[in-house]
Amino acid sequence: MTGRPVGGGAVKAFPVARSEARLLVPALMFIALVVAAVASLGTPLITSVATSFHVSLAGAQWTLTVALLSGAVATPVLGRRGAGPHRRATILATLAVVVAGSALTVLPLPFAWLPAGGAAQGVGLGLTALMMGVARDHLPEEHGAAVIALISVVSIIGAGVGYPLAALLAEFGGVRAAHGLGLVVTAAALLTAWRSVPEAPEGRSAHWTWQARSPWPPHCSWCCSSPANGLCGAGTDSFEQAVAAHKSAAYQEALVALSDGVERDFRIVEGID
């Protein structure tokens, strides 16, 4: 089983042992469920927050809005960071941020700390894609696709599960009790990730760059290159070199591995002297 081409070659993924796979799959499901549920905790608590902290409903709504905003910002950042060799460290650090944010929502602090904690919790929404990456690289190919689909479904279920639990706890124990549940499950998710999430496969790199080239000289007009391989345009100083790069075995391997995962617009234009 091979991973996606990075740095001039294919990344060789190593499926974990069967016994480890049995633990890895529920661990990935649990983490995806937790981050989705915790990020949505603020939805049923808006009225309770407004009442408990004596703020307007508009102000209380920021406890949810800021979590969604931070998740939208964090998702592409974590995806880029997690595509490299430091995926495990990225997952653990992100979960640590979520745990810290959950602690802020539980401690008896002024209202301003509540949306701050919600923002930290929202960062965890970016972990869903990283869980899929772990499944792709470390599970057998015949099971990886099914697990990735389940992670996607579980992340949606997590948002729905958080609603009734948070509302029930807020009814009997107040806002802090509802957020206390978030602290407990995020701490459990951090421990689960530390015990179960493996390191990224060797050879993985996140350093892809796009280089703009002028259409007037005899170069490629737009060229995609990885610093380590010189594919499709880095240093193509002639029409013949561009054609040779396009026909190279390394580029053809990249086409097969990427398949329909990206849209390609490869143009070779011979310049006019």
Side-chain angles (χ1 to χ4, degrees), residues 201-222:
E202 294 181 2
R204 183 168 292 282
S205 172
H207 299 294
W208 283 84
T209 59
W210 290 90
Q211 296 180 345
R213 297 295 182 91
S214 169
W216 303 113
H219 297 304
C220 297
S221 55
W222 280 92

Side-chain angles (χ1 to χ4, degrees), residues 129-227:
L130 272 64
M131 297 300 103
M132 295 179 180
V134 173
R136 177 196 62 195
D137 286 342
H138 298 282
L139 294 176
E141 189 171 0
E142 61 271 19
H143 301 309
V147 172
I148 289 173
L150 285 175
I151 290 173
S152 180
V153 173
V154 165
S155 65
I156 302 301
I157 294 175
V161 168
Y163 286 18
L165 287 179
L168 183 64
L169 288 173
E171 179 71 22
F172 293 100
V175 173
R176 302 293 186 188
H179 284 293
L181 172 65
L183 177 59
V184 171
V185 295
T186 51
L190 176 58
L191 178 61
T192 300
W194 178 70
R195 294 288 301 272
S196 303
V197 174
E199 296 285 351
E202 294 181 2
R204 183 168 292 282
S205 172
H207 299 294
W208 283 84
T209 59
W210 290 90
Q211 296 180 345
R213 297 295 182 91
S214 169
W216 303 113
H219 297 304
C220 297
S221 55
W222 280 92
C223 300
C224 163
S225 67
S226 174

Side-chain angles (χ1 to χ4, degrees), residues 10-127:
V11 176
K12 292 185 178 180
F14 44 93
V16 294
R18 186 180 298 272
S19 58
E20 294 177 346
R22 292 196 190 100
L23 298 177
L24 179 60
V25 172
L28 297 178
M29 299 293 180
F30 177 66
I31 294 170
L33 180 72
V34 166
V35 295
V38 170
S40 66
L41 277 179
T43 304
L45 302 179
I46 292 175
T47 304
S48 299
V49 168
T51 303
S52 301
F53 290 90
H54 306 289
V55 297
S56 66
L57 284 175
Q61 286 174 350
W62 276 103
T63 58
L64 173 63
T65 303
V66 73
L68 299 178
L69 287 174
S70 65
V73 173
T75 297
V77 175
L78 293 179
R80 176 63 179 249
R81 182 69 178 171
H86 307 296
R87 182 168 58 205
R88 172 180 162 84
T90 301
I91 293 172
L92 295 178
T94 303
L95 284 171
V97 170
V98 176
V99 171
S102 299
L104 289 178
T105 62
V106 173
L107 296 174
L109 298 172
F111 170 74
W113 290 99
L114 195 60
Q121 290 175 325
V123 171
L125 290 172
L127 289 177

